[in-house]
Amino acid sequence: MKALALFSGGLDSMLAMKLITNQGIKVKALNINIGFGATTDKSEIMSKRAAMVGAEFEMIDVRNSYLQKVLFNPQYGYGKHFNPCIDCHAFMFKTALSLLESEKADFIITGEVLGQRPMSQRSDAMAKVKKLALDEEDLILRPMCAKNLPLTKPEREGWVDREKLEGISGRSRKRQLELAASFGLEDFESPGGGCLLTLESFAKKIRDFVEFDSNMQVNDAQLLKYGRHLRLPNGAKMIIGRNELENELLRRLKTPKYEEINLFGLIGAYSLVDSSIGDEDLQLALKIALTYTKNETGKSYKLGFKEATFQTVAFEDKNQVLPFFIT
């Protein structure tokens, strides 16, 4: 027997896998990368955590498909912000189910706990997820709360011993911490949202983006994770790095939609603006870019954009830039 596990890197999914590997079943952990998880690459640590509970690990990149099929037209709508949790979970399960044959696996597991999340982990929500994922054979097993749910095929067929599964419900972490201690697990991620789509600040960036550009691509979505995002008076977008790491990430993620502002050796933040920016917004963008450099108050500096050069003076106070921030 072999199971594919939806793996977030958190404790619940680690425990779910351990409950199954303890029954002599091979498990492969799949992190379904929709593009809105961590802002840093956690694949190495996730691989180590999967190995701790006896599972293999692989990251599955579905970012483009997720943008095209789920994010902007969810059948069951959004949560508090821009999070289509029910449709998102169903999409992940459907992806995993489609891999069963090629992975020579028999069923799917997940670390979900009944009642832990208000939108996606209610009984009715799980039923909607099952329907959207086309799980007609009852192949989705939730080891952490299985005793609170109807029998699945792995249980009915005797592939899994239901008595060795859990019946956890609610938001308390007491039983999870007890299990972690009994299994000797100490390295695990603290519980939290994990998904940027659940954050109000990030949701505002997405809404702002689609208001001006309905064609969001993978790198467009990734750019939203980094830097300060501004919308200038005539509609141009500007992104300013916060530190050296973000400066480098913005350079790597730059798409043809954007052009960088050349600082000509000045020490400061890396800035991107719409490649089709108008003259009025460009003059403001240059002034803002200079403001986020080491400059002398009142002194005029040369900056570049595309093939042209310009002279500009920085704002005396960064608070003058705040009205343009997407917050």
Side-chain angles (χ1 to χ4, degrees):
M1 283 291 127
K2 180 179 177 180
L4 299 180
L6 295 189
F7 184 42
S8 65
L11 178 59
D12 288 344
S13 48
M14 290 176 71
L15 293 172
M17 291 191 290
K18 185 64 174 174
L19 290 170
I20 298 304
T21 57
N22 274 1
Q23 296 196 33
I25 297 169
K26 187 177 181 180
V27 174
K28 183 170 185 178
L30 303 179
N31 179 251
I32 310 294
N33 180 14
I34 62 170
F36 297 101
T39 55
T40 56
D41 183 2
K42 293 188 175 182
S43 56
E44 185 176 343
I45 191 168
M46 292 178 77
S47 180
K48 290 180 180 178
R49 287 174 178 166
M52 287 169 58
V53 293
E56 300 175 50
F57 174 78
E58 183 178 352
M59 184 173 284
I60 308 296
D61 188 346
V62 295
R63 292 176 298 173
N64 186 61
S65 183
Y66 184 79
L67 284 176
Q68 303 303 317
K69 298 179 180 179
V70 181
L71 185 59
F72 299 112
N73 190 32
Q75 183 172 328
Y76 289 103
Y78 300 101
K80 188 175 180 181
H81 297 298
F82 216 92
N83 48 313
C85 295
I86 293 176
D87 292 73
C88 183
H89 282 218
F91 177 76
M92 291 182 181
F93 279 124
K94 193 172 183 180
T95 299
L97 286 166
S98 73
L99 295 171
L100 285 175
E101 184 176 355
S102 63
E103 290 289 340
K104 297 181 180 178
D106 304 283
F107 62 100
I108 308 295
I109 65 170
T110 172
E112 291 171 291
V113 170
L114 188 65
Q116 190 177 82
R117 303 280 183 194
M119 184 174 181
S120 60
Q121 293 179 18
R122 308 183 314 267
S123 293
D124 61 321
M126 289 179 176
K128 291 172 182 174
V129 167
K130 174 181 171 64
K131 182 179 179 181
L132 273 183
L134 304 179
D135 179 30
E136 298 172 354
E137 296 186 59
D138 296 331
L139 293 176
I140 297 173
L141 172 66
R142 297 174 172 88
M144 299 295 286
C145 59
K147 291 179 179 178
N148 299 323
L149 300 172
L151 285 166
T152 60
K153 185 174 180 178
E155 296 163 289
R156 290 195 304 269
E157 297 293 326
W159 304 344
V160 173
D161 185 348
R162 183 179 173 91
E163 292 307 308
K164 295 179 180 178
L165 304 179
E166 293 290 318
I168 305 172
S169 64
R171 305 190 72 173
S172 170
R173 308 285 293 177
K174 182 179 178 181
R175 179 55 181 160
Q176 285 94 321
L177 294 174
E178 289 175 351
L179 284 171
S182 70
F183 293 144
L185 300 178
E186 297 180 351
D187 176 26
F188 52 82
E189 198 166 293
S190 301
C195 179
L196 292 170
L197 297 172
T198 64
L199 303 179
E200 181 179 9
S201 58
F202 194 79
K204 285 180 178 178
K205 292 177 186 177
I206 293 182
R207 291 192 178 96
D208 171 82
F209 184 97
V210 297
E211 180 182 346
F212 292 86
D213 184 349
S214 60
N215 184 29
M216 182 180 283
Q217 301 296 312
V218 169
N219 269 24
D220 295 328
Q222 299 310 295
L223 278 167
L224 294 178
K225 295 180 178 182
Y226 308 108
R228 309 169 183 90
H229 288 247
L230 298 80
R231 184 64 65 181
L232 305 183
N234 294 303
K237 177 73 176 288
M238 183 174 188
I239 309 172
I240 308 169
R242 291 189 180 94
N243 50 51
E244 288 186 19
L245 176 59
E246 284 198 343
N247 289 346
E248 183 56 34
L249 288 168
L250 291 174
R251 284 190 186 94
R252 294 180 192 174
L253 291 168
K254 177 183 171 294
T255 74
K257 293 181 180 180
Y258 297 95
E259 291 287 344
E260 63 183 66
I261 291 176
N262 190 340
L263 300 178
F264 291 119
L266 279 172
I267 297 173
Y270 180 78
S271 294
L272 293 173
V273 294
D274 283 336
S275 58
S276 58
I277 189 171
D279 290 342
E280 188 176 341
D281 277 352
L282 177 58
Q283 293 301 323
L284 176 59
L286 293 166
K287 194 175 181 70
I288 293 172
L290 182 59
T291 302
Y292 285 89
T293 67
K294 291 186 177 180
N295 63 82
E296 294 181 27
T297 302
K299 181 178 177 179
S300 179
Y301 290 85
K302 181 178 75 171
L303 297 184
F305 181 70
K306 296 184 179 179
E307 303 301 320
T309 58
F310 305 85
Q311 290 291 138
T312 191
V313 177
F315 283 109
E316 293 185 5
D317 185 348
K318 286 182 180 177
N319 286 332
Q320 292 175 268
V321 183
L322 294 182
F324 309 111
F325 278 44
I326 300 166
T327 56

